[in-house]
């Protein structure tokens, strides 16, 4: 997108805040490097199989906890049975800074204790249907960081998959936090715009999204 057009911070719905360009180019590169290391194993990125036989078009891996439809576990029972990587302290710090920035509330940021990251890689036309993040036993916010190709992020309501919703363009470096009354809102990614990313991030194609969550599990 034209960098001369400013994109201000915006509350899309109560508790759902978009902060454009929040993660610095260096921060984006570090996150790409970390994701690449996690993808080397012990649990590889995979297209998640859904119970009804479908296969998700994004490739996913978990850090701290492994997500499978529709539960979290420490080992990737639907992939290779290996234990997922530990959730690193620096990622928790990043989450606390993100919540502080989105809500302009240092106390809310300091209290945030994410224990899992879901890494999603969108390539070759991958999209994500409207869904709620509701396998967590905590109502703490979800922190979403995007790197690479721009996408259309559809942020809806807590009652239905349909309207009303708002379509937000998430670009590389953008932060989106949803908590409070929007924590269990439906959301999805109907479109990724190929070739809009910046190779300097270390991601030469596609879109990488990392969401931090509090599972509320022991
Ligand atoms: C997700 O809902 O888990 C991912 C959202 C995104 O890719 O922006
Ligand atoms: Mn989600």
């Amino acid at each position: 997108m034209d960098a001369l057009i400013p994109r201000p911070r915006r509350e899309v719905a109560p508790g759902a805040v978009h902060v454009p360009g929040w993660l610095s180019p260096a921060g984006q590169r570090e996150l790409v490097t970390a994701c690449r290391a996690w993808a080397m194993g012990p649990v590889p990125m995979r297209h998640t199989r859904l119970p009804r036989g479908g296969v998700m078009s994004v490739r996913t891996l978990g850090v701290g906890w492994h997500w499978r439809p529709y539960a979290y576990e420490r080992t990737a029972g639907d992939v290779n049975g290996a234990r997922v990587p530990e959730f690193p302290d620096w990622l928790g710090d990043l989450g606390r800074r993100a919540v502080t920035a989105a809500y302009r509330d240092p106390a809310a940021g300091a209290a945030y204790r994410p224990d899992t990251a879901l890494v999603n890689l969108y390539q070759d036309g991958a999209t994500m249907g409207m869904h709620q993040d509701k396998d967590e036993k905590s109502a703490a916010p979800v922190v979403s960081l995007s790197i690479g190709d721009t996408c259309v992020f559809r942020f809806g309501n807590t009652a239905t998959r349909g309207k009303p919703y708002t379509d937000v363009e998430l670009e590389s470096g953008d932060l989106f936090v949803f908590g409070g009354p929007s924590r269990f809102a439906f959301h999805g990614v109907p479109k990724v715009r190929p070739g809009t990313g910046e190779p300097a991030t270390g991601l030469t194609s596609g879109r990488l999204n990392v969401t931090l969550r509090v599972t509320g599990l022991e």
Side-chain angles (χ1 to χ4, degrees):
M1 196 186 180
D2 192 332
L4 296 174
I5 302 172
R7 295 181 305 136
R9 173 187 177 278
R10 176 159 80 112
E11 187 157 18
V12 171
V17 181
H18 177 206
V19 190
W22 180 76
L23 190 60
S24 68
Q28 294 177 53
R29 279 196 299 277
E30 283 165 24
L31 200 49
V32 169
T33 302
C35 290
R36 209 160 255 139
W38 289 320
M40 301 288 284
V43 183
M45 284 200 117
R46 91 317 188 181
H47 295 278
T48 304
R49 291 185 175 280
L50 299 168
R52 289 186 177 180
V55 179
M56 292 179 73
S57 57
V58 296
R59 284 195 293 158
T60 303
L61 67 79
V63 177
W65 289 88
H66 174 78
W67 178 81
R68 65 188 288 183
Y70 292 95
Y72 286 99
E73 51 192 23
R74 289 293 192 188
T75 52
D78 61 338
V79 186
N80 61 2
R83 193 179 167 95
V84 296
E86 292 295 318
F87 187 90
D89 288 344
W90 63 264
L91 202 49
D93 291 339
L94 189 65
R96 284 182 278 282
R97 288 201 288 117
V99 168
T100 300
Y103 294 146
R104 294 178 168 157
D105 182 346
Y112 188 57
R113 291 281 176 282
D115 61 343
T116 190
L118 245 71
V119 179
N120 285 314
L121 182 63
Y122 295 73
Q123 286 174 319
D124 304 324
T127 57
M128 194 179 289
M130 295 295 276
H131 66 278
Q132 294 166 294
D133 293 357
K134 60 177 185 186
D135 296 322
E136 301 78 21
K137 310 283 178 244
S138 160
V142 174
V143 165
S144 156
L145 295 163
S146 295
I147 299 175
D149 287 344
T150 300
C151 79
V152 177
F153 181 60
R154 182 162 290 173
F155 196 80
N157 62 84
T158 55
T160 76
R161 302 190 130 71
K163 291 180 178 172
Y165 51 68
T166 305
D167 282 349
V168 179
E169 298 272 326
L170 291 186
E171 298 184 16
S172 200
D174 285 10
L175 165 67
F176 196 98
V177 176
F178 52 103
S182 286
R183 171 61 181 78
F184 297 103
F186 283 88
H187 57 277
V189 178
K191 190 171 182 58
V192 176
R193 305 193 187 286
T196 51
E198 183 56 64
T201 59
L203 189 71
T204 48
S205 71
R207 169 175 186 262
L208 190 67
N209 176 262
V210 178
T211 48
L212 309 183
R213 301 131 187 253
V214 178
T215 62
L217 300 168
E218 287 300 320

